[in-house]
Structure formats: C-alpha cells, structure tokens
Amino acid sequence: MNRGARKADVFIDDSLREGFLLRCRQAVERFGIAIHAYAIMRNHYHLLVETKREGGLCRGIRHIDASITQDINRAYDWDGPVWRGRFASALVTNDAYRQHLVAYLHLNPVRAGIATSAESASWTSHSAYLNAEKRPNWLTTEEMLADMEIGR
C-alpha cells in the first residue's frame, strides 16, 4: 500500500484510477508479479501482490508508483513527490491471512464511508471476484476463489 504525501488526495478522477490499473497490468507483465486484489481510494491504494521472481515486488511497485506520479504531475501541473515514501508491505504467510486481506481490501471503501457495500464500491477487484467477465486478464483470482471454495 502507499498513501499520498501529506495524506492528500492522489486519485482525483477516474482517468487516474484507470491509469493506475494500466500500470498494474504493466507491472504484472514486466516484473513477474501476480496481483490478487486491489482497492483504489482517493488518497491511497492497496494491492495484494505475490512475487514470482526475486526483486519483482520492489521493481513492480516502483514502476506503478513512479509512473502514476508522472501521470498525476502531468495531469495537474504538479511537481515533486506524490507518495509519502516507499510503499508499505507485509509478508503473507498463510491462506487464512491472504483471504482476510482480500476481504479487507474489498471492504475498505465501506469502512471509509465511500460505499454502502463491497458490491457497490467502485475501484476494487471485488466485482472481478463476483463475475469473471469483469476480470482484467492481469488480475489473478482463480487461486483465491479456489481457496474460498475449499474453506466453505
């Protein structure tokens, strides 16, 4: 996850959110990471990322953060850093924690008062979990869905 510098809004309009998702796709293709879930809020984002090769996480997130910084600075005639610093990360060591994180990400807009339910929230991967036709090809949901089926 990363948050805007000074907790300022970063994703001011949908074009920046769409650009963020494009950068996610690029990071998956270029840096050997898998993205299992996401939530884009006004002043921060969350990603559930799995690394497929050494160095992929840092390089992939650096690509996303640096590219979106350039997009935002260009779009709003800003200058300088957009993010408060390096992204924050936590090691996911088991399936139960990973499932918890997917739910946490998808409920983030509800907890923030932006949406009334995960289903009504925009800019999370929740709809991709409910409807495979809405899933971008770079988002990996199959493994999490299989784990959820086993856990029932």
Side-chain angles (χ1 to χ4, degrees):
M1 83 76 84
N2 211 343
R3 183 175 306 281
R6 299 164 306 284
K7 297 183 182 177
D9 287 351
V10 173
F11 298 103
I12 297 170
D13 63 42
D14 287 350
S15 68
L16 293 172
R17 292 176 187 93
E18 291 167 2
F20 180 83
L21 296 177
L22 169 66
R23 303 311 184 178
C24 288
R25 178 181 61 80
Q26 291 171 342
V28 166
E29 292 170 353
R30 294 179 188 174
F31 301 106
I33 63 173
I35 297 178
H36 297 291
Y38 66 85
I40 307 170
M41 307 295 285
R42 287 188 63 83
N43 70 347
H44 69 283
Y45 70 84
H46 294 273
L47 294 172
L48 178 55
V49 177
E50 180 180 355
T51 58
K52 300 290 188 179
R53 60 179 179 236
E54 191 166 332
L57 177 65
C58 290
R59 291 192 345 243
I61 301 301
R62 184 175 56 226
H63 168 76
I64 293 168
D65 282 355
S67 298
I68 217 58
T69 294
Q70 291 172 355
D71 294 346
I72 289 167
N73 282 342
R74 197 173 16 255
Y76 295 103
D77 199 27
W78 291 358
D79 187 19
V82 169
W83 307 108
R84 69 176 177 183
R86 184 185 182 273
F87 65 92
S89 62
L91 182 62
V92 177
T93 58
N94 61 59
D95 290 341
Y97 182 44
R98 187 171 59 160
Q99 289 174 6
H100 168 79
L101 288 174
V102 171
Y104 175 85
L105 268 64
H106 293 166
L107 289 171
N108 207 272
V110 177
R111 288 190 192 99
I114 297 168
T116 57
S117 67
E119 290 79 14
S120 67
S122 299
W123 303 107
T124 74
S125 53
H126 185 70
S127 63
Y129 276 83
L130 297 177
N131 183 348
E133 292 175 12
K134 293 185 178 183
R135 182 179 59 83
N137 63 358
W138 54 265
L139 182 68
T140 306
T141 61
E142 298 86 0
E143 190 175 323
M144 286 299 306
L145 288 169
D147 287 349
M148 290 174 191
E149 278 294 315
I150 292 169
R152 283 188 183 172

